[in-house]
Amino acid sequence: MNVRIGEAAGMLGVPTSTLRYYEEIQLIRPAVRGVNGYRAFADDTIARLRFIASAKGVGIPLDEIRTLADAYELEDCSTVAHQVVEAVASRLEQTRARLAELSSLASQLEMVMDRLQTAPAAGPCGDDCPCLSLHS
């Protein structure tokens, strides 16, 4: 069964431009064109697109997804699952590091807010103005 590009995009929750882009970068095989010129994706391409959407949904970058999607089509499930686990573990590590950075930034912003609460209600900024030392 062939699925037209609009239907495929709807099934995956992505714009049609995403599917065209995936064709352009050869992440998926080009869709078959009907006599009317519309793109139509075969079942195996739809399965690959679902895999891609799933991996993209957990933040795996497209360059890694390409490798994983190729493995998805060629290897057994346990091998693919192991590769996906490694990619997800890497993404989780990056996310935790980013969360730590954001937590530190939030603490700094709270300190700045506290300092700025002591700013005078009127008058020009002076040497002891909290606006001059926004960083900790």
Side-chain angles (χ1 to χ4, degrees), residues 18 23 44 75-76 94:
T18 297
E23 277 185 319
D44 60 335
E75 299 179 26
D76 64 271
Q94 294 167 3

Side-chain angles (χ1 to χ4, degrees), residues 1-3 32 40-47:
M1 176 176 95
N2 287 334
V3 178
V32 175
F41 297 106
D43 289 342
D44 60 335
T45 302
I46 295 297

Side-chain angles (χ1 to χ4, degrees), residues 108-123:
Q108 288 176 341
L109 292 171
E110 287 171 355
M111 289 188 299
V112 168
M113 288 289 292
D114 289 345
R115 266 198 313 265
L116 290 172
Q117 298 298 327
T118 64

Side-chain angles (χ1 to χ4, degrees), residues 12-40:
L12 299 166
V14 299
T16 56
S17 59
T18 297
L19 301 183
R20 286 187 205 99
Y21 175 68
Y22 290 171
E23 277 185 319
E24 182 182 317
I25 65 169
Q26 300 176 350
L27 188 58
I28 60 172
R29 286 182 287 285
V32 175
R33 297 268 185 171
V35 291
N36 57 8
Y38 293 139
R39 286 175 169 90

Side-chain angles (χ1 to χ4, degrees), residues 60 83-96:
I60 298 174
Q83 292 174 5
V84 172
V85 164
E86 289 178 5
V88 169
S90 173
R91 185 70 181 139
L92 180 58
E93 183 180 321
Q94 294 167 3
T95 300
R96 286 183 173 149

